[in-house]
Amino acid sequence: MNILEIGDASGYRYSTQIGYMSNNYFLDADLLVIDLDNVYYELYKEFVNVNLGEKILRVEKYQKFLEYVEKRKIELAKYLGDGGNLLIFRGEDMIRTFKVVDDQREFKETFDLMNILDLDSTKFQTKTLSGTNVTQDQEHFVDFFSYFKCDYKFIYTSFAGYPIVTITRTGEPVALCIPKGKGNIIILPDIELFYLEDDNDYDRNERILQAFEDLDEALKKLPPIVTPSNVPEWTNSYMLGDEKQELAKLRDLEEQALEIEKQINEQKGALSIYQGLKSLLFESGKNLEFMVEEVFKAFGYEILPTQQNRDDLIIKHNDQVAVIEIKGVNGSSAEKQAVQLQKWVTEYHLEHDFQPKGILIVNTFREKPLSDRKGDDFPNQMMKYCNNQGLCLMTSAQLLELFLGFYADELAFEKIHNLLFNTIGKLQVPSSYIEKVENEES
């Protein structure tokens, strides 16, 4: 097998080493291997030192290089068109910028090394990442990569062709196959032949040669891949057969899709209120206080200002005022919470010469599902004190039940108001609006 190689990235000692700017004919190769960085090194040898070590390139040298590029592109097109396969090794940075000088001026020149392959670097976006844990994604390439360890230095975030090696846990590509004519361009990461026991140079080179022969044979058996063609813009001016009617159907479906998307977003907005309300079932502290206040606002109560480190919430309707203490606890409520509420009730009375209603709202057993809250929300030992003080006791889950009835237009505000202000002791909610769903995905 005649392997022509520019550079020595393959590690195969017996390939025929050629220069990019040489007279060696690409079509003489059974397999062609090119290290694109090595192509640039050939050009770099023509640079000269000026101005304290700065290197520049004479324009005639650069022009000769460009002439070789065009000549080699013609050869590559023929080589690939006839079914030849090309292995490419490349670095992450394919765009090189350097200074070119002629007798009159000095200017910057940019060269895309992928242009050597008649490809565009902008279509091969990369991200710097390194590693060795990879997976072969195409069965035709498994045998070849079984010989080598891949040592990638970057991944492709966009590319032409299709991936043949990816990072095992992410599927991000590190090696590509680009069909060209009847042949293929294979862009590889760094590869290193696996060592075997009692390895010697001859055996290692034989394995590399075998890997290349297996790969070339596998590529020749690849089914042809039809790549999409660039359809000229002017073809849109012509309608074929029923194309006009089919386009009309497509536009109608797109309009329906937009309307459905609008309805979906509206429905998500409608559902969001329930997610917020569910915080009444598990929150404590400021989060619980905020949602309780939002519920009373929704009922229609006026929210009166509170003093810092005093009452959690004060509400008003007509000439009636209630002072509300709000707690979230992991177990039952406790008498000390009722005592604290009564303290705020007394202070309000003394400051405003008006007796407010005291309402204690406690999110009891807040870390358990509602069905597992088996204990007494308000133990009997606190009830005598609460009844004597005329306090209304309720859980935040009961407040949620009241709001859901109100939201469904099944509980009028006046009925809710009378329940809150007339209840002494434990409040009883007239209806249940919380349903436990079994064996359904939420």
Side-chain angles (χ1 to χ4, degrees), residues 269-281:
L271 284 169
S272 65
I273 186 173
Y274 297 104
Q275 294 303 315
L277 287 168
K278 286 181 181 179
S279 65
L280 291 170
L281 303 177

Side-chain angles (χ1 to χ4, degrees), residues 249-369:
K249 289 180 185 178
L250 175 61
R251 293 191 185 102
D252 184 53
L253 289 170
E254 288 173 340
E255 288 177 3
Q256 292 178 43
L258 287 173
E259 179 60 30
I260 291 172
E261 183 66 24
K262 177 183 175 184
Q263 293 176 22
I264 288 172
N265 289 332
E266 289 174 352
Q267 193 60 30
K268 286 180 178 178
L271 284 169
S272 65
I273 186 173
Y274 297 104
Q275 294 303 315
L277 287 168
K278 286 181 181 179
S279 65
L280 291 170
L281 303 177
F282 62 86
E283 283 286 14
S284 64
K286 294 298 181 183
N287 290 342
L288 180 62
E289 292 170 17
F290 170 80
M291 187 50 62
V292 170
E293 182 175 331
E294 290 298 302
V295 167
F296 279 99
K297 284 180 184 177
F299 284 148
Y301 283 102
E302 179 184 355
I303 307 300
L304 301 182
T306 60
Q307 296 183 32
Q308 190 172 6
N309 298 323
R310 291 276 296 273
D311 340 73
D312 290 331
L313 183 65
I314 303 175
I315 61 172
K316 181 179 180 182
H317 175 62
N318 294 332
D319 59 350
Q320 291 181 295
V321 174
V323 172
I324 302 175
E325 177 76 0
I326 304 165
K327 294 292 182 185
V329 296
N330 295 334
S332 300
S333 180
E335 187 172 344
K336 64 180 180 180
Q337 293 154 4
V339 172
Q340 183 66 60
L341 170 61
Q342 186 56 39
K343 177 184 176 183
W344 304 141
V345 169
T346 301
E347 290 185 2
Y348 188 94
H349 184 200
L350 293 173
E351 291 175 7
H352 298 88
D353 194 24
F354 183 87
Q355 182 64 38
K357 175 71 174 181
I359 301 174
L360 177 61
I361 300 176
V362 185
N363 186 13
T364 55
F365 306 100
R366 69 183 188 89
E367 293 184 345
K368 294 182 178 181

